[in-house]
Amino acid sequence: MSDQLATAKQPEHFNEGKFPLKKREFGGVQPYIPLGPFNLRIPLIHHEWSWTEMLAAFFLGVACLGAGTATTMTTFGFDNPENIAALGMTENSVFLMSLTFGVLNAICYYLPSLLGDPVVPGWITPALPLTLKYLAQWELPNYATGNVDRVYAMIALQMIVALFFLIMGVTGIGRKLVDTVPRSIKAGIVLGAGVTAGINVFQSRMPKAPITVVIAVLMSYFFLFNSTFAKAAAKNKTLDTLRNQGVVPAQVFAIVLAPFLIKEIAVPNIQWGFTPLSFGFVLEHFTIFGLGLPAAKFFMAALPMALTVYIIAFSDFVLAKEIVTEATATRDDETVIFDAGRSNLVSFLRNGIMSLFAPWVPMCGPLWASGLLTITERYKRGYKTLHSYWDGVCTFRAATVIAVLILPLVTLIRPAFAIFFGITMGVQAFACGNVGMTMCTNRNERGIACVIASALCFYTPGWALLIGIILWAVIEGTELFAKKSDAQSAA
């Protein structure tokens, strides 16, 4: 490593800016405050504030939290007029109350980058259909009669999931699992994440607003990946500034022009002021502080489902490490380290907090691949575009907290939630395909990766992972055993 740094060329104007106050050496790790297993980074002291990532977070972050909040409220019966009336609320007051879930989750979103985990976190998205099916065993909550078994079931499930993350992080098992997974299986997980994201765009996003989604996704591809535009931007300051905005132009198109030009989504009904917080109401009706601890039967019932959820989340640890490794390999000026053990511990904190104060149906996963990829694609362009990796990920989630507190912004973006998800899924499909194919070094690895990616389209991630392990054992595992045998014979 030292030889590489000696020959690497230091970027122009390296460390010449006023911020951050604490600057790294060329090729070193961005400064931080040691905090046990965590690395605490404070804005402007340990990283710059990136305005591009802030704009992206103002749109993408709010859209993600809005969709998660809507899913949670629907699961807890707040799209039911009888429940709304039983609590003396209106449809709009329910929407405003539900934003308390989003604000708390936004704060938890900020924890990973704040504590040194180099990711943009999100939901445990592939587990969501299974979680909804699991919760359907219990009747829709009835707030007039006090039947809230489904809320109890969700609290217990998220608590057990948090416990799994804690065990894997403290024991180091999670780190060892990520490091020992064969490259072909890792590539299959990455490719599968891309393929399933593409399917999501075609099946779920485009039917809602086909013209708007197509234009927005193509705009994102053009600004992020078009090589001709990249060459032109290198010679023109205005084009370079535009290109550096990543998916923001597509987002602006979706919320400003699409409702009026294409008319596939509603015109926003903007409400003014700061987002009202209803922590008292949420604590009383959704948490152990108002309802009491769930009965033991809920925890027992949650164990198999929680294990399934962790297996699903495991693939996100693998994907996160590969995205970070692939992006940082292009930069000599900074070292970024992904630690699966630390990532497990942060995921424990997030799920633990939400299970106590605002149970979150999508749950808290270690990675939002689409969000991270929008940052790493910019990071790979060099020091001039993004001075530090942490400028991007830290600003993105810190800005998300600010964004969800601005009510006009939340209500402005509300009609475009589905469009923004189409943008992020489209970026994930393209970028994961690129990363996954690059990871494979021979035809057997490419074949195994393709089969795993196909399995992820039809089965749960747990079953797809099992298929990949069996396939690897049949095709590549025998070679590993043969090498061990040869080594023992030589000894």
Side-chain angles (χ1 to χ4, degrees):
M1 182 70 179
S2 58
D3 292 339
Q4 292 177 346
L5 293 179
T7 57
K9 183 179 179 182
Q10 184 167 299
E12 188 177 3
H13 305 303
F14 184 74
N15 278 345
E16 290 184 7
K18 181 178 180 181
F19 297 106
L21 300 180
K22 302 289 186 179
K23 303 186 188 318
R24 70 177 182 272
E25 295 181 358
F26 178 71
V29 174
Q30 192 72 5
Y32 60 86
I33 300 173
L35 198 66
F38 306 115
N39 300 335
L40 179 67
R41 288 185 174 89
I42 301 171
L44 302 184
I45 297 177
H46 301 104
H47 69 84
E48 291 183 67
W49 188 263
S50 172
W51 297 102
T52 296
E53 268 63 47
M54 186 196 76
L55 288 174
F58 269 32
F59 297 133
L60 286 177
V62 170
C64 180
L65 288 166
T69 298
T71 299
T72 299
M73 289 298 99
T74 300
T75 304
F76 289 164
F78 273 87
D79 59 348
N80 185 312
E82 294 179 0
N83 275 333
I84 294 174
L87 293 170
M89 305 180 78
T90 65
E91 185 176 340
N92 188 57
S93 64
V94 164
F95 166 70
L96 295 176
M97 177 276 296
S98 71
L99 293 177
T100 303
F101 283 77
V103 170
L104 183 58
N105 198 49
I107 294 170
C108 289
Y109 271 161
Y110 183 35
L111 283 180
S113 57
L114 179 67
L115 297 177
D117 191 17
V119 300
V120 173
W123 308 347
I124 309 179
T125 309
L128 182 57
L130 300 178
T131 303
L132 294 175
K133 186 177 180 179
Y134 169 77
L135 294 174
Q137 299 176 70
W138 291 274
E139 292 181 5
L140 197 71
N142 186 321
Y143 297 98
T145 64
N147 178 8
V148 290
D149 281 359
R150 185 179 290 187
V151 180
Y152 279 128
M154 185 62 229
I155 293 172
L157 175 60
Q158 192 158 26
M159 283 184 172
I160 298 295
V161 168
L163 182 62
F164 275 115
F165 281 120
L166 175 63
I167 293 171
M168 292 296 181
V170 169
T171 62
I173 294 174
R175 182 187 303 111
K176 292 176 183 177
L177 283 174
V178 172
D179 291 340
T180 57
V181 172
R183 184 169 53 230
S184 54
I185 296 179
K186 290 181 182 179
I189 292 171
V190 175
L191 280 176
V195 174
T196 53
I199 291 173
N200 181 278
V201 173
F202 293 121
Q203 285 189 346
S204 302
R205 306 304 164 191
M206 284 187 61
K208 298 178 184 295
I211 299 175
T212 307
V213 170
V214 167
I215 294 175
V217 171
L218 289 178
M219 285 180 66
S220 301
Y221 284 174
F222 182 80
F223 289 118
L224 286 172
F225 305 116
N226 185 279
S227 56
T228 303
F229 181 68
K231 293 175 183 176
K235 303 175 182 177
N236 184 291
K237 189 174 182 179
T238 302
L239 293 181
D240 187 54
T241 301
L242 184 61
R243 181 172 182 258
N244 283 337
Q245 303 315 304
V247 298
V248 172
Q251 295 169 336
V252 172
F253 163 78
I255 62 174
V256 176
L257 297 178
F260 301 98
L261 296 180
I262 304 174
K263 299 181 179 179
E264 288 181 328
I265 59 176
V267 175
N269 178 23
I270 299 176
Q271 300 178 47
W272 300 96
F274 293 105
T275 299
L277 300 178
S278 306
F279 283 116
F281 184 92
V282 171
L283 289 175
E284 179 182 355
H285 292 90
F286 301 101
T287 75
I288 63 173
F289 302 105
L291 302 176
L293 196 68
K297 65 178 183 180
F298 291 107
F299 289 102
M300 294 300 294
L303 279 170
M305 182 62 199
L307 179 59
T308 301
V309 170
Y310 184 81
I311 292 172
I312 291 170
F314 170 77
S315 63
D316 279 343
F317 290 119
V318 174
L319 178 56
K321 182 172 184 178
E322 294 308 319
I323 291 175
V324 173
T325 301
E326 192 264 349
T328 56
T330 63
R331 296 276 296 263
D332 296 318
D333 59 288
E334 182 175 22
T335 297
V336 180
I337 301 170
F338 175 82
D339 185 330
R342 179 169 52 220
S343 191
N344 269 279
L345 289 175
V346 176
S347 296
F348 153 69
L349 289 175
R350 293 171 58 224
N351 280 287
I353 291 169
M354 294 304 292
S355 69
L356 288 173
F357 299 105
W360 185 250
V361 173
M363 286 185 282
C364 304
L367 176 68
W368 180 24
S370 304
L372 181 60
L373 285 163
T374 61
I375 295 171
T376 56
E377 287 300 319
R378 284 183 9 91
Y379 182 74
K380 288 188 288 187
R381 294 177 191 168
Y383 182 82
K384 182 181 178 182
T385 299
L386 201 60
H387 290 176
S388 169
Y389 186 97
W390 301 99
D391 298 349
V393 292
C394 290
T395 300
F396 188 90
R397 277 314 187 201
T400 301
V401 179
I402 298 170
V404 295
L405 292 171
I406 304 173
L407 188 59
L409 182 64
V410 175
T411 51
L412 171 68
I413 297 170
R414 190 180 179 187
F417 285 167
I419 311 302
F420 282 19
F421 271 99
I423 293 172
T424 58
M425 290 293 103
V427 171
Q428 179 172 325
F430 190 99
C432 281
N434 186 6
V435 174
M437 291 179 184
T438 303
M439 290 169 62
C440 299
T441 60
N442 59 57
R443 62 183 185 179
N444 280 346
E445 289 181 353
R446 287 189 287 271
I448 293 171
C450 184
V451 173
I452 295 173
S454 301
L456 280 165
C457 299
F458 294 96
Y459 303 104
T460 65
W463 280 111
L465 188 59
L466 178 60
I467 290 170
I469 292 170
I470 294 172
L471 192 62
W472 172 85
V474 170
I475 296 174
E476 292 187 326
T478 53
E479 185 67 21
L480 178 64
F481 295 135
K483 288 180 179 178
K484 287 185 177 180
S485 180
D486 292 342
Q488 290 174 355
S489 298

